[in-house]
Amino acid sequence: MLSQSQTLASANYLLSRSCFLCTRGTSLVILDVRSGKYSTLEARYSNQVCDLVPGWPVVKVAETSSSAQPLRPEEIAEDLASANILVQKESRGKHATPVRVLVPALPLIEEYEQLETSISMREAIEFVSATLWALMILSRPFGGLGLRHLEHRCATIQNVASNCSEDTLCILEVRNVLAKFLRLRPLIWKVKNQQRLERLILLKLFEYRKIYPQWILGVAIDPLRSYSWLQWKDFVVDEAPEIVATFTPIVAF
Amino acid sequence: MTTYIAILWDASDSAQNAIAIDLKERTRRLRPAWCACFDNPGMFVSTEQHSGSHLDHVYRLAAGHGIILGTLFERAYVDNHAEIDESPKPVILGDSASARMVADGCTTLRDEYWGRYVAFLTAPARGRQWVFRDPTGQIPCQHGYVAGLSFYFSRLVDLEEIAPGPLRVNRHFLIGHLGPGSYSSGETAYEGITTVLPGERVEYVRGSRTTSFLWNAVQLANSNDSTTFSEARANTSRIVRRCVSAWASGVDRLSLQLSGGLDSSIVAACLATSPRKPSVLCFNFYRNEETADERVFAREVARRFQFELIECLEPPPPAIDLSTVRERTVVPTCTVPPSASWTKMHETLQSREITLHVRGDGGDELFYRDGAVPDAVDCAYYSGLNSRLWAIAMNDAMIERTSVWNILGLAIRLGLMRRRYDWRDSSWKSRLSLLCDDVRNEVLTDRTHWHPLYRGDVACAPGKLHQSHRLLYLTTRFHGFPLIPSDISIVSPLLSQPHMEFALRTPLSVLRDGARDRAAARAAFRESVPSRILNRKYKGLDAVPSGHWISGRAKEIRDVLLGGYLASERILDRHAIEAIFAKGHVLESETSHQLKAALDVEVWARNAIAHRSKSTEFAPHFTHIPMGPTLRSTVQTQ
């Protein structure tokens, strides 16, 4: 049996390192974090390149799919390569297997669950510093928070996280961090479009406690739309599971 | 549903007496199964008797003082703070109650009774008559003039058959319908036919007609009550339980539309503990979408109360119905016919001989889910800067996921400084892009499209004003839509007068205490409703997007819109419609919503016009009774 590195070396095409994909219904959805662009590919085209790209998923074919003669696999692959979705150099490519994330069934805190929390001076200071850090990350001089930056940032965190053991973490401690954040969140000055800001603050507050949730990007189609949420193990941190369940994870930072 | 006609006239006018005799004779001939339940000089009421429904009563006032159609309960049953383990007693209107009702022109009826009803009272000696529609408005009450006589009815077909005459489409109403929505304006889509609005009282003094709001939602909302949270919790529990028990008191079995949300779960909890303990059959409608499937919650509720649950998968929605052959109504109805699962539910109810179907409507407005302005605005409006303002603003910020500084800014501007604020829901203003310019301007400036109580500047806290308006908008939508046959009564027990009054009086910050929407209701039913539902904020079962109905039929819909009433009356902007279809923008959410609303109006108008041309041929023998002019009624508030 070939190892993954051997497969990569012998492959015709590889998925670009900046791209992520998932199947959704009868389409394949591709996200390029470098440009922040989402694309969809119908099953009849997508399935043609399964043999050319290692890990490329098979998409369910629509019952009413067109009977028109599809393009040759090489033609489709060339089109995808010209869009920088596929690459031929091993150093710039990766296995195309879609991300696997635990399906979150429960919220970390029920939306109206009332947790008794008291906030210490240290925690208030941590909240302020996390907010300043998040505002700085999102500010113009730092170029805002593109998906690529987020990927890089989260990769750094995950490196640290891999050296920590989460087994010892009690869910109560994780819930406690979130409960305190929810109490303090109204104090954030910024009013509009603060989802990303809030999520960054929350990430930082978790980081202070050596807790490392994943930042998941999910997609849905008809119409194509994306959504993101924080997930810790199989708990949704900052959203309702019903909403999260309507999206298919495409990236887990 | 109570079905009736009522004719009021000046008994001292011999010409009107002659016409009244003619109309009464005609009613008896065309509606032989109906009961002429009141026939005195100046007032005639005839109603259809449904043998199956326990909610269609006829209450006769003593000494020939009039009649009340519908269902009445005594207010004392709800107001009694003592533990009660029995159903309310049937109401019998004795001499004293009847005399007081007539003496104070329905005020006793408003204060000592509740239910769903339309009352026709008369005091011949004083030359006065009254018509009063109860505040929930669950029985339609339309009014038109027939040769100068007042004709009240619940179904358009009864007017058309008993007093036929050509009805003209009311362009003014239809324009408002495409803008802010004119259900609560008191007009209907026919010229000359008006609606007696919920809580409105019509008074006749020797034939002269005036209207006023005997039950005034704005006054109740502006009462600046000082109810505490613990009082609100206790009162919510008592009032809601008693109201649900009262509605369920006449039957041994009923059905409940159980969505799995908070409101219908609370109704289920109340039914389970009601003194009569009826057998409850629950229906849960779901779709094969994650956000439209709440069966897991509905099952939990049904299991807890040992109710039978039938889960109905909503099939793909039926096609939009563009035909003009449909039941006649006084306002435009939806062009989407009832779904197959709704029909299936009705068949099940009939096969099990269930005549009462209960729903949880009104919970969002009464338990209070959300509003146009933060609760801190109302707090600042009534109490100025005070120690509670910060806590309420923090609650608002947590509920709305916004900044407390933003909330405080609004509280100071709108509450403390009382800056002018257009509290009316402004979302409809973005839905005018299909209208011609002059029509759009008219919609934006003409306040007669609004409920009469909200046309002028009203001195009331913005949050409470908005809550009362939303509630009235909900109650003014009962125009007798042909959703379900009349042998089954649909009741929304949360929308009961005692509960409406309590919710309007209670401060919003109390109803949403502790940064939780519907907090008083959650606390009141903490012991009964499963905690998963109590702790849940998210609400499922989104409406089917309007684009769904339009998809695949764009050309047909374009032709309907451009070739009919709305285009010929220069209400729709032809160029705007053509551009939308040419650019393929029909499926965009906002656009499809507007197209769907325009289609509803267009199809209704075609139906009305087609029927008009038929009706003049249909009844030539009665053409000597023309429709009277539309009278401008004066509106007083008390």
Side-chain angles (χ1 to χ4, degrees):
Chain A
M1 196 170 177
L2 291 174
S3 68
Q4 187 161 313
S5 58
Q6 286 170 316
T7 315
L8 289 179
S10 60
N12 294 333
Y13 290 96
L14 298 167
L15 183 66
S16 165
R17 282 192 179 280
S18 64
C19 289
F20 298 85
L21 50 74
C22 69
T23 61
R24 173 83 184 190
T26 56
S27 298
L28 183 84
V29 185
I30 303 161
L31 165 65
D32 186 343
V33 293
R34 194 168 44 195
S35 61
K37 253 169 76 172
Y38 291 88
S39 318
T40 57
L41 201 59
E42 283 180 44
R44 62 194 172 114
Y45 296 118
S46 172
N47 289 347
Q48 293 286 315
V49 294
C50 283
D51 295 335
L52 299 179
V53 187
W56 193 268
V58 178
V59 184
K60 193 174 77 181
V61 181
E63 287 170 10
T64 55
S65 121
S66 164
S67 57
Q69 189 64 32
L71 297 170
R72 286 190 306 109
E74 289 75 15
E75 287 177 302
I76 299 169
E78 279 167 24
D79 280 352
L80 292 172
S82 64
N84 294 323
I85 292 169
L86 296 184
V87 293
Q88 287 182 306
K89 279 188 183 172
E90 187 190 346
S91 59
R92 290 171 53 203
K94 64 179 179 185
H95 215 255
T97 309
V99 64
R100 282 189 188 160
V101 178
L102 285 172
V103 177
L106 294 170
L108 192 58
I109 295 179
E110 294 272 4
E111 288 149 309
Y112 278 153
E113 192 178 350
Q114 288 181 319
L115 293 183
E116 290 299 321
T117 53
S118 58
I119 293 160
S120 67
M121 181 59 75
R122 183 189 158 201
E123 286 160 342
I125 292 169
E126 281 179 350
F127 178 79
V128 172
S129 75
T131 306
L132 291 174
W133 171 82
L135 284 170
M136 192 180 72
I137 292 283
L138 290 173
S139 64
R140 276 171 193 270
F142 287 80
L145 182 73
L147 287 175
R148 197 143 186 230
H149 296 94
L150 186 63
E151 184 190 19
H152 177 72
R153 168 77 202 161
C154 290
T156 312
I157 290 175
Q158 294 302 328
N159 274 339
V160 180
S162 61
N163 297 325
C164 303
S165 166
E166 291 198 355
D167 295 342
T168 55
L169 273 180
C170 173
I171 187 170
L172 287 177
E173 192 180 345
V174 185
R175 282 159 57 92
N176 204 24
V177 173
L178 179 59
K180 287 176 180 178
F181 168 75
L182 293 175
R183 286 280 304 276
L184 291 167
R185 182 176 60 188
L187 298 173
I188 300 172
W189 181 261
K190 197 167 170 156
V191 176
K192 288 180 182 169
N193 302 323
Q194 57 181 348
Q195 284 274 35
R196 193 167 277 193
L197 171 74
E198 284 182 13
R199 209 156 278 156
L200 275 175
I201 297 170
L202 200 46
L203 269 184
K204 194 71 179 171
L205 290 175
F206 277 123
E207 196 184 328
Y208 289 146
R209 298 280 175 274
K210 298 196 179 341
I211 301 164
Y212 301 99
Q214 284 182 298
W215 187 316
I216 313 275
L217 260 67
V219 291
I221 56 170
D222 295 331
L224 180 62
R225 57 203 187 276
S226 68
Y227 206 74
S228 66
W229 65 93
L230 292 183
Q231 185 169 327
W232 182 74
K233 297 187 176 175
D234 57 348
F235 292 97
V236 188
V237 174
D238 60 346
E239 262 306 343
E242 291 99 328
I243 294 175
V244 164
T246 61
F247 294 89
T248 305
I250 191 168
V251 187
F253 292 135
Chain B
M1 178 62 71
T2 304
T3 310
Y4 65 91
I5 63 118
I7 306 164
L8 276 71
W9 70 96
D10 182 358
S12 63
D13 184 329
S14 58
Q16 289 202 357
N17 279 330
I19 297 168
I21 289 168
D22 205 359
L23 279 171
K24 284 194 281 185
E25 191 282 323
R26 207 173 150 74
T27 304
R28 288 191 178 104
R29 184 158 48 83
L30 293 169
R31 297 287 182 270
W34 286 25
C35 165
C37 50
F38 192 81
D39 189 0
N40 275 21
M43 186 179 281
F44 172 79
V45 182
S46 182
T47 182
E48 185 178 18
Q49 298 286 298
H50 294 295
S51 56
S53 174
H54 76 289
L55 296 179
D56 293 345
H57 295 285
V58 174
Y59 301 90
R60 295 170 204 280
L61 274 73
H65 280 313
I67 203 154
I68 299 170
L69 305 176
T71 307
L72 280 184
F73 303 108
E74 285 184 3
R75 186 65 186 245
Y77 179 72
V78 176
D79 291 344
N80 188 348
H81 287 253
E83 287 288 322
I84 299 178
D85 192 25
E86 58 184 23
S87 299
K89 294 184 178 67
V91 169
I92 298 168
L93 299 175
D95 292 347
S96 166
S98 301
R100 280 185 290 125
M101 281 183 197
V102 173
D104 58 21
C106 300
T107 307
T108 298
L109 176 59
R110 177 197 67 185
D111 294 341
E112 296 183 13
Y113 299 88
W114 63 279
R116 66 176 195 189
Y117 57 85
V118 180
F120 299 95
L121 273 57
T122 178
R126 292 156 56 201
R128 288 173 185 253
Q129 296 164 316
W130 297 272
V131 179
F132 180 53
R133 187 181 179 197
D134 87 282
T136 70
Q138 293 191 47
I139 298 178
C141 185
Q142 325 293 356
H143 170 257
Y145 284 102
V146 177
L149 280 68
S150 276
F151 194 99
Y152 291 88
F153 59 96
S154 57
R155 293 187 315 189
L156 181 61
V157 64
D158 298 321
L159 170 75
E160 289 182 324
E161 291 183 14
I162 294 168
L167 294 170
R168 284 196 298 274
V169 171
N170 183 356
R171 184 178 187 272
H172 182 260
F173 176 91
L174 295 181
I175 288 172
H177 190 71
L178 294 173
S182 45
Y183 280 142
S184 56
S185 68
E187 291 182 44
T188 71
Y190 283 113
E191 286 182 6
I193 296 180
T194 55
T195 292
V196 179
L197 291 168
E200 191 173 25
R201 180 185 63 180
V202 183
E203 185 171 29
Y204 292 86
V205 181
R206 305 205 185 284
S208 169
R209 183 180 193 262
T210 55
T211 62
S212 60
F213 283 91
L214 187 63
W215 189 87
N216 189 321
V218 176
Q219 276 184 355
L220 288 165
N222 202 24
S223 56
N224 189 16
D225 202 281
S226 58
T227 306
T228 63
F229 181 71
S230 59
E231 289 169 342
R233 184 182 56 201
N235 287 336
T236 300
S237 174
R238 174 177 52 81
I239 292 170
V240 174
R241 283 180 197 279
R242 299 268 168 87
C243 288
V244 173
S245 297
W247 287 113
S249 62
V251 291
D252 291 323
R253 51 182 175 273
L254 54 85
S255 63
L256 168 67
Q257 202 158 321
L258 183 63
S259 68
L262 180 66
D263 306 335
S264 59
S265 300
I266 286 176
V267 175
C270 295
L271 286 171
T273 55
S274 70
R276 179 99 181 213
K277 295 201 169 34
S279 158
V280 179
L281 172 64
C282 301
F283 287 90
N284 174 265
F285 295 96
Y286 70 98
R287 292 199 302 269
N288 275 332
E289 299 162 27
E290 294 86 342
T291 53
D293 185 356
E294 298 183 296
R295 281 177 294 168
V296 61
F297 300 105
R299 284 173 193 158
E300 196 166 341
V301 174
R303 201 179 311 121
R304 170 168 292 203
F305 301 122
Q306 297 180 328
F307 293 163
E308 183 185 354
L309 174 66
I310 296 179
E311 296 169 356
C312 302
L313 171 64
E314 286 274 32
I320 202 164
D321 179 11
L322 297 177
S323 70
T324 55
V325 181
R326 53 177 59 208
E327 188 165 336
R328 314 250 303 119
T329 53
V330 294
V331 292
T333 51
C334 186
T335 41
V336 179
S339 71
S341 54
W342 183 262
T343 310
K344 184 184 155 197
M345 182 187 83
H346 176 233
E347 288 168 1
T348 307
L349 295 183
Q350 281 190 317
S351 68
R352 298 201 187 189
E353 297 179 342
I354 291 175
T355 57
L356 179 64
H357 181 65
V358 176
R359 295 163 55 111
D361 298 332
D364 286 357
E365 292 77 9
L366 295 165
F367 295 144
Y368 204 59
R369 187 157 182 262
D370 51 13
V373 293
D375 304 342
V377 171
D378 282 20
C379 177
Y381 184 94
Y382 287 123
S383 311
L385 289 177
N386 63 82
S387 55
R388 290 171 48 242
L389 186 61
W390 172 259
I392 293 173
M394 280 295 281
N395 281 347
D396 283 328
M398 289 172 80
I399 290 178
E400 307 292 343
R401 288 187 72 148
T402 186
S403 161
V404 70
W405 314 111
N406 180 43
I407 301 284
L408 284 173
L410 280 171
I412 290 168
R413 275 202 310 280
L414 304 179
L416 202 61
M417 299 165 73
R418 302 198 177 186
R419 290 270 172 84
R420 195 175 173 79
Y421 169 68
D422 187 0
W423 55 271
R424 299 173 182 91
D425 180 10
S426 58
S427 62
W428 60 272
K429 289 181 181 171
S430 62
R431 296 185 198 144
L432 306 177
S433 62
L434 300 184
L435 303 183
C436 290
D437 288 345
D438 52 340
V439 173
R440 192 181 308 132
N441 291 337
E442 183 194 324
V443 166
L444 289 170
T445 54
D446 185 356
R447 289 196 169 188
T448 59
H449 293 303
W450 293 88
H451 190 290
L453 290 175
Y454 301 86
R455 287 176 190 166
D457 291 329
V458 189
C460 180
K464 292 304 289 184
L465 199 61
H466 188 252
Q467 182 202 17
S468 66
H469 183 259
R470 278 182 62 189
L471 185 58
L472 287 192
Y473 189 75
L474 194 68
T475 60
T476 52
R477 296 178 70 178
F478 294 104
H479 281 279
F481 291 170
L483 270 176
I484 201 161
S486 57
D487 56 344
I488 294 170
S489 298
I490 300 179
V491 167
S492 303
L494 298 180
L495 277 172
S496 295
Q497 183 185 338
H499 188 212
M500 289 162 66
E501 291 176 0
F502 165 74
L504 286 170
R505 286 196 180 108
T506 307
L508 300 181
S509 57
V510 172
L511 293 175
R512 299 207 302 178
D513 186 75
R516 300 179 1 141
D517 69 58
R518 298 173 281 179
R522 288 175 202 271
F525 293 93
R526 195 173 49 199
E527 307 299 328
S528 325
V529 174
S531 60
R532 274 179 78 187
I533 293 166
L534 289 176
N535 289 337
R536 191 165 171 245
K537 180 180 182 185
Y538 178 73
K539 199 169 172 129
L541 207 65
D542 301 330
V544 176
S546 298
H548 171 90
W549 316 111
I550 295 164
S551 176
R553 298 179 72 180
K555 183 177 182 310
E556 188 183 358
I557 287 166
R558 175 186 172 278
D559 293 346
V560 169
L561 288 178
L562 292 179
Y565 174 84
L566 293 174
S568 66
E569 284 287 316
R570 297 187 48 75
I571 295 173
L572 286 185
D573 183 344
R574 179 175 289 274
H575 299 300
I577 301 274
E578 282 174 345
I580 282 169
F581 283 94
K583 292 175 184 170
H585 290 172
V586 286
L587 294 183
E588 287 175 7
S589 167
E590 195 53 59
T591 308
S592 61
H593 182 86
Q594 290 181 61
L595 288 172
K596 170 74 174 46
L599 263 180
D600 290 344
V601 171
E602 177 63 44
V603 171
W604 180 90
R606 287 177 179 221
N607 183 23
I609 292 164
H611 189 82
R612 182 186 172 192
S613 58
K614 280 185 209 159
S615 66
T616 47
E617 297 161 15
F618 166 69
H621 54 280
F622 212 64
T623 49
H624 68 279
I625 296 184
M627 294 298 295
T630 309
L631 290 190
R632 289 271 172 216
S633 299
T634 54
V635 174
Q636 301 164 344
T637 57
Q638 46 176 79

